[in-house]
């Protein structure tokens, strides 16, 4: 069959038929309660004197029913109720389709035998296995409804279906075990089954009753009848039923975890009405079976994962007993690794080239290709397929080793772990040739017309190129393996970083301890030489004095650098020590300005002390002076002679914000973005810049150790401002 014909069948808008089945009528009312659409049989069906179009629901159904519909349709949609009108009794089912209300009306048929319904529910509720449940569901629905044949029908991952349980009249051919192609119940039909729990066709030989008008007056679009049980059925489906020898049918949806698991499908060789009460009982059975299917599946999954995690614990021990790349370590136990997910082979791909294999596997080049393709298709690092050719069309020759692939991929191209399963050759009995699921011929006018297949004779096919499916337990355990590998890899990285930090701390401690004494001696001897040089005169004394001053500045710089290195180590290790006490903001500002005034004087920069509040903050005065010294020193350094540095403080929220502003060179936005990073020297072009680029990073660490915060503002060419906030004492 032409694929375009199948596509046309699969895209048929079956929710917009424009007509209903004739065993009821349909009224559509607007928000004011006026009927704006009605099935053509409404007047005769309800025995009305006038056509319902344009009338208020009160005039048609009575004030009490109309009020109930207007008040309850929005809250009790799809909850039917019985009414009496004249000598007739009707069953009314409203559907909210804002701003419209769709009202189905059917004859109120005899009530359900409640004892029979209770027996049916009890039979379904007391089974203890998945297989028993499906057979019990078929038996009880058939006993309750009287249909000739009732089947439990399950969908696979491709949309194909199979009859997994059956209850039938003995003179009917068995369908148990037969498979049916996806096109028999196309995608849009399955979507409606997921949305509406039951569908009924009392007589497949009916003549459709059109809606009047055929489209919605408010939107000029067809009326969406997705929720309407009376909705007319696709002519293709009616012909399909005729070809099967079926006159009446009913389908009950089985929904597990929000997905359409399958159907309880009922068929009858003659017309068969089903009362609303009987439909409701069947719907309840369907919901109960769905819940039990979900419970059985959850129990199986739990047991599967529990047994798998015993194997995973052994793999975890293997990981803990060795070092190096986690994929290499876990592959040291390939037997448990393959047993975990029932694979016949496994492989790891390290980086982009190194491949290691165990068991039944493709060649190295093929494994690398599979790893790369599955990594691109993976969701959250996991990929699974039972048919590799859907991922790699050229993988047909690999069927005997890798029809099925389950793969996990580590981030940053660290590597992949793949499991393989060979093809599982299956003999599938189809209820008719799946390649002839529909036919096209010309009608009397020469127009092409789509027909369902006419033959349902058993057609046997050998299916190749597919492995046993990876079930939810396999995928869950693969995800557990991936998480375990990531945890071990993270632990390895943390250990390496911890060792690196410890080595750095040890180096800094040794360097600072071993250098502090000789640097102190150099500084003292420089002071002695400076005193001697000042006692002499002449060119030789001047040269000696200049050299001694260079030595002295270098010693001071080394002392500062050693202190900064120690502070850096303490900040990054979270061991920064403070001795905080209540300090007034004004005294901290005054002390900083007084002690740093000589820097400004030497360069001709004015250090201006702004007014500061008497507010007390909790601060370590020595450390806060270190912050001020760095900020004021930088401000003076980057402010030309004649400029100004302003130091002050102001109350801010529950604390006090200190500031150092200058009229210097300023910074660009790009420089400002990195200003607090360690080892950053954004203005290194300035000839007077010295230091290792740790000052502002350490200042920020000191402020944050006080539970404060620090920020900076700058305009290139106009100056910079640094702020730090400390909490009130």
């Amino acid at each position: 069959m032409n694929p375009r014909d199948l596509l046309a069948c699969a895209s048929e808008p079956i929710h917009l038929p424009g007509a209903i089945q004739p065993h009821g009528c349909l009224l559509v009312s607007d928000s004011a309660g006026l009927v704006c659409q009605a099935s053509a049989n409404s007047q005769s069906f309800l025995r009305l004197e006038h056509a319902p179009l344009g009338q208020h629901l009160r005039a048609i159904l009575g004030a009490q029913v109309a009020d109930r519909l207007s008040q309850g349709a929005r809250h009790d949609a799809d909850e039917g109720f019985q009414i009496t009108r004249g000598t007739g009794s009707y069953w009314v089912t409203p559907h909210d389709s804002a701003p419209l209300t769709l009202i189905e009306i059917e004859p109120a048929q005899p009530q359900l035998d409640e004892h029979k319904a209770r027996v049916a529910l009890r039979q379904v509720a007391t089974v203890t296995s998945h297989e028993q449940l499906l057979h019990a569901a078929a038996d009880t629905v058939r006993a309750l409804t009287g249909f000739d044949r009732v089947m439990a029908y399950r969908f696979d991952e491709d949309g194909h279906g199979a009859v997994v349980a059956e209850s039938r009249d003995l003179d009917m051919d068995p369908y148990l075990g037969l498979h049916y192609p996806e096109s028999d119940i196309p995608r849009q039909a399955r979507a409606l089954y997921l949305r509406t729990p039951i569908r009924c066709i009392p007589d497949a030989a009916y003549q459709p009753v059109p809606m009047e008008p055929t489209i919605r007056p408010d939107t000029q679009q067809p009326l969406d009848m997705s929720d309407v049980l009376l909705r007319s059925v696709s002519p293709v489906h009616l012909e399909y039923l005729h070809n099967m020898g079926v006159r009446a049918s009913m389908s009950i949806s089985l929904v597990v975890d929000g997905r359409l698991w399958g159907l309880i499908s009922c068929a009858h060789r003659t017309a068969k009405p089903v009362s609303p009460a009987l439909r409701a009982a069947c719907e309840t059975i369907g919901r109960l079976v769905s819940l039990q299917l979900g419970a059985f599946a959850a129990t199986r999954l739990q047991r599967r994962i529990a047994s798998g995690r015993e194997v995973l614990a052994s793999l975890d021990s293997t990981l803990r007993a060795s070092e190096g790349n986690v994929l290499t370590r876990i592959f040291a136990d390939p037997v448990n690794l393959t047993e975990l997910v029932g694979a016949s082979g496994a492989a790891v791909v390290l980086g982009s080239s190194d491949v290691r294999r165990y068991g039944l596997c493709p060649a190295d080049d093929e494994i690398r290709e599979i790893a790369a393709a599955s990594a691109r298709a993976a969701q959250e690092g996991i990929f699974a397929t039972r048919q590799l050719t859907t991922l790699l069309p050229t993988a047909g020759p690999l069927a005997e080793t890798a029809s099925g692939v389950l793969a996990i991929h580590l981030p940053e191209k660290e590597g992949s772990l793949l499991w393989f399963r060979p093809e599982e050759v299956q003999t599938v009995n189809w209820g008719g040739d799946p390649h002839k699921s529909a036919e096209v011929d010309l009608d009397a006018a020469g127009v092409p017309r789509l027909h369902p297949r006419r033959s349902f004779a058993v057609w046997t096919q050998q299916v190749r190129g597919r492995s046993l499916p990876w079930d939810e337990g396999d995928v869950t355990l693969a995800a557990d393996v991936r998480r375990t590998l990531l945890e071990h890899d993270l632990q390895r990285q943390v250990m390496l970083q911890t060792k690196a930090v410890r080595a750095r701390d040890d180096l800094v401690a040794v360097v600072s301890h071993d250098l502090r004494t000789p640097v102190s001696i150099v500084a003292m001897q420089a002071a002695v030489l400076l005193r001697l040089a000042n006692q002499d005169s002449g060119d030789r004394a001047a040269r000696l004095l200049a050299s001694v001053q260079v030595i002295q500045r270098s010693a001071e710089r080394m002392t500062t650098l050693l202190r900064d290195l120690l502070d850096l180590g303490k900040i990054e290790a979270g061991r920064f020590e403070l001795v905080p006490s209540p300090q007034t903001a004004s005294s901290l500002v005054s002390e900083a300005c007084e002690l740093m005034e000589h820097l400004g004087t030497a360069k001709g920069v004015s250090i201006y002390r702004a007014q500061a509040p008497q507010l007390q903050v909790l601060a370590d005065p020595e450390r806060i002076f270190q912050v001020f010294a760095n900020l004021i020193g930088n401000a003076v350094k980057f402010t030309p002679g004649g400029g100004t540095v302003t130091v002050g403080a102001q109350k801010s929220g529950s604390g006090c914000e200190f500031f150092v502003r200058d009229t210097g060179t300023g910074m660009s936005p790009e420089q400002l973005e990195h200003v607090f990073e360690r080892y950053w020297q954004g203005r290194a072009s300035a000839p007077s810049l010295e230091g290792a680029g740790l000052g502002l990073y350490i200042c920020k660490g000191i402020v944050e150790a006080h539970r404060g915060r620090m920020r900076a503002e700058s305009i290139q060419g106009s100056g910079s401002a640094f702020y730090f906030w400390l909490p009130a004492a």
Side-chain angles (χ1 to χ4, degrees):
M1 180 182 176
N2 191 320
R4 287 180 296 181
D5 298 323
L6 281 175
L7 183 62
C9 181
S11 59
E12 182 183 4
I14 59 177
H15 63 301
L16 306 172
I20 66 166
Q21 300 178 59
H23 61 279
C25 72
L26 179 65
L27 303 177
V28 181
S29 69
D30 61 19
S31 57
L34 297 175
V35 175
C36 56
Q37 274 184 285
S39 57
N41 66 343
S42 298
Q43 185 174 354
S44 60
F45 188 85
L46 296 173
R47 302 172 189 174
L48 301 173
E49 293 183 7
H50 305 286
L53 279 176
Q55 294 194 55
H56 198 282
L57 288 176
R58 293 188 176 191
I60 302 171
L61 301 175
Q64 185 176 2
V65 175
D67 289 345
R68 179 172 181 177
L69 287 171
S70 64
Q71 295 170 7
R74 299 289 183 265
H75 306 291
D76 302 320
D78 303 326
E79 292 295 328
F81 56 91
Q82 188 168 327
I83 66 170
T84 301
R85 189 183 181 282
T87 59
S89 294
Y90 302 93
W91 188 263
V92 177
T93 307
H95 305 281
D96 179 21
S97 184
L100 305 179
T101 301
L102 282 59
I103 305 161
E104 295 188 77
I105 304 176
E106 305 171 72
Q109 297 172 350
Q111 293 298 309
L112 176 68
D113 183 336
E114 293 187 2
H115 173 71
K116 205 172 182 182
R118 283 195 299 270
V119 170
L121 288 171
R122 188 161 52 246
Q123 287 178 326
V124 172
T126 54
V127 296
T128 57
S129 74
H130 177 273
E131 293 74 17
Q132 289 179 2
L133 173 65
L134 296 172
H135 287 287
D139 289 338
T140 54
V141 170
R142 181 163 172 255
L144 190 62
T145 61
F147 275 92
D148 292 337
R149 185 196 306 271
V150 177
M151 302 173 289
Y153 186 90
R154 180 174 188 174
F155 295 110
D156 66 16
E157 67 270 19
D158 297 321
H160 303 314
V163 178
V164 292
E166 181 181 44
S167 180
R168 59 181 173 83
D169 283 354
L170 295 180
D171 61 342
M172 301 180 76
D173 291 335
Y175 288 172
L176 182 63
L178 294 184
H179 293 246
Y180 294 87
E182 180 268 347
S183 56
D184 276 17
I185 305 178
R187 186 176 298 107
Q188 80 275 29
R190 294 197 299 274
L192 285 180
Y193 281 127
L194 184 60
R195 177 169 175 167
T196 54
I198 196 165
R199 190 200 65 182
C200 192
I201 305 175
D203 187 353
Y206 73 87
Q207 290 297 316
V209 178
M211 296 297 294
E212 296 178 344
T214 56
I215 59 176
R216 287 177 53 166
D218 57 341
T219 64
Q220 300 299 304
Q221 297 294 322
L223 180 66
D224 187 343
M225 295 189 188
S226 296
D227 298 322
V228 175
L229 190 65
L230 290 170
R231 181 186 72 249
S232 188
V233 182
S234 166
V236 177
H237 181 68
L238 294 176
E239 188 176 350
Y240 179 89
L241 294 178
H242 174 76
N243 293 345
M244 288 188 70
V246 172
R247 183 75 178 266
S249 72
M250 183 173 71
S251 298
I252 306 163
S253 302
L254 300 177
V255 178
V256 178
D257 293 332
R259 293 178 294 181
L260 186 66
W261 184 95
L263 301 170
I264 298 175
S265 181
C266 310
H268 207 68
R269 289 167 288 190
T270 59
K272 186 174 184 58
V274 181
S275 70
L278 184 55
R279 288 200 311 264
C282 290
E283 182 180 334
T284 300
I285 290 174
R287 293 185 188 279
L288 179 58
V289 171
S290 297
L291 288 172
Q292 288 183 283
L293 285 171
F296 285 138
T299 300
R300 285 197 305 273
L301 177 62
Q302 187 177 21
R303 290 173 179 169
R304 169 78 178 88
I305 292 174
S307 63
R309 282 180 175 158
E310 293 179 5
V311 179
L312 188 61
S314 176
L315 291 170
D316 186 69
S317 298
T318 300
L319 283 167
R320 294 182 186 280
S322 56
E323 295 183 357
N325 182 282
V326 288
L327 287 171
T328 304
R329 287 152 59 189
I330 200 170
F331 212 64
D333 188 3
V335 175
N336 273 326
L337 197 61
T338 51
E339 180 186 325
L340 181 69
V341 294
S344 57
V348 294
V349 179
L350 305 174
S352 59
S353 58
D354 188 9
V355 176
R356 304 183 187 189
R357 295 180 289 159
Y358 171 79
L360 193 62
C361 299
D364 288 2
D365 289 345
E366 294 161 341
I367 290 174
R368 279 191 286 268
E369 185 179 10
I370 295 170
S374 62
R376 290 191 294 269
Q379 297 290 328
E380 297 182 354
I382 300 176
F383 173 81
T385 182
R386 65 182 299 195
Q387 189 172 4
L388 182 57
T389 52
T390 59
L391 176 70
L392 286 174
T394 59
L398 304 181
E400 293 183 359
T401 56
S403 285
V405 174
L406 175 60
I408 58 176
H409 302 278
L410 301 184
E412 305 298 330
K413 297 182 180 180
E414 287 289 326
S416 306
L417 169 59
L418 300 93
W419 290 276
F420 303 107
R421 283 178 180 171
E423 68 176 348
E424 186 79 9
V425 180
Q426 290 181 295
T427 299
V428 177
N429 293 321
W430 295 91
D433 186 347
H435 303 105
K436 297 181 179 179
S437 54
E439 302 171 8
V440 176
D441 61 15
L442 301 179
D443 62 14
V447 177
R449 184 170 172 227
L450 190 67
H451 295 274
R453 55 196 168 91
R454 296 181 172 91
S455 173
F456 292 87
V458 175
W459 192 88
T460 302
Q461 179 188 29
Q462 194 175 60
V463 178
R464 306 191 65 115
R466 293 163 63 124
S467 73
L468 291 175
W470 305 100
D471 60 25
E472 188 177 355
D474 297 326
V475 176
T476 299
L477 288 168
D480 284 347
V481 170
R482 183 174 186 270
R483 183 169 53 252
T484 299
L485 291 174
L486 290 174
E487 288 172 353
H488 278 274
D489 190 54
L490 179 61
Q491 184 179 20
R492 179 179 63 88
Q493 293 181 35
V494 169
M495 289 177 63
L496 290 175
Q497 290 182 1
T498 301
K499 289 180 180 178
V501 170
R502 186 180 299 117
R504 185 205 61 194
D505 287 350
D506 291 344
L507 177 62
V508 169
V510 168
V511 168
S512 63
H513 179 270
D514 290 354
L515 287 183
R516 183 172 294 176
T517 299
V519 168
S520 299
I521 293 172
V522 169
M524 286 188 293
Q525 292 302 314
V528 172
L529 291 174
L530 184 62
R531 192 163 54 250
L532 294 174
N534 283 328
Q535 294 174 1
D536 203 349
S537 60
D539 292 341
R540 183 177 179 182
R543 289 196 301 272
L544 178 60
L545 179 62
S547 298
V548 171
Q549 288 174 338
V550 170
I551 294 172
Q552 195 171 44
R553 285 197 302 272
S554 297
E556 290 173 355
R557 183 184 172 197
M558 289 184 68
T559 301
T560 301
L561 180 58
L562 290 172
R563 183 199 65 193
D564 287 349
L565 286 173
L566 284 173
D567 286 345
L568 173 66
K570 291 176 181 177
I571 288 171
E572 296 193 339
R575 300 193 301 269
F576 200 84
E577 297 177 358
L578 297 174
V579 185
S581 61
Q583 304 287 327
T584 61
S586 60
S587 65
L588 292 173
V589 170
S590 297
E591 183 180 5
C593 290
E594 290 172 4
L595 294 176
M596 301 300 293
E597 188 174 6
H598 68 282
L599 289 180
T601 302
K603 193 177 178 183
V605 173
S606 299
I607 298 179
Y608 174 69
R609 182 175 61 195
Q611 187 173 0
Q614 293 300 312
L615 175 69
Q616 283 195 325
V617 294
L618 197 61
D620 183 328
E622 290 187 11
R623 289 299 189 178
I624 295 303
F625 174 73
Q626 187 178 341
V627 173
F628 270 125
N630 189 284
L631 296 180
I632 295 172
N634 283 345
V636 170
K637 187 183 300 180
F638 295 106
T639 300
T644 302
V645 174
T646 303
V647 184
Q650 56 194 9
K651 188 178 187 313
S652 175
S654 59
C656 184
E657 187 169 61
F658 298 84
F659 58 83
V660 176
R661 303 189 186 107
D662 64 57
T663 58
T665 57
M667 291 178 284
S668 67
E670 292 76 16
Q671 291 174 317
L672 190 63
E673 183 179 351
H674 302 285
V675 73
F676 291 113
E677 295 178 5
R678 62 178 180 176
Y679 306 124
W680 183 81
Q681 294 175 308
R683 296 184 281 186
S685 59
S688 60
L689 179 66
E690 297 178 348
L694 292 173
L696 290 175
Y697 178 82
I698 292 172
C699 286
K700 187 170 182 286
I702 291 172
V703 170
E704 290 177 349
H706 281 81
R707 295 184 296 111
R709 54 185 178 268
M710 195 167 189
R711 62 188 179 93
E713 297 174 355
S714 187
I715 299 176
Q716 197 164 19
S718 298
S720 302
F722 285 82
Y723 302 86
F724 63 93
W725 181 90
L726 297 178

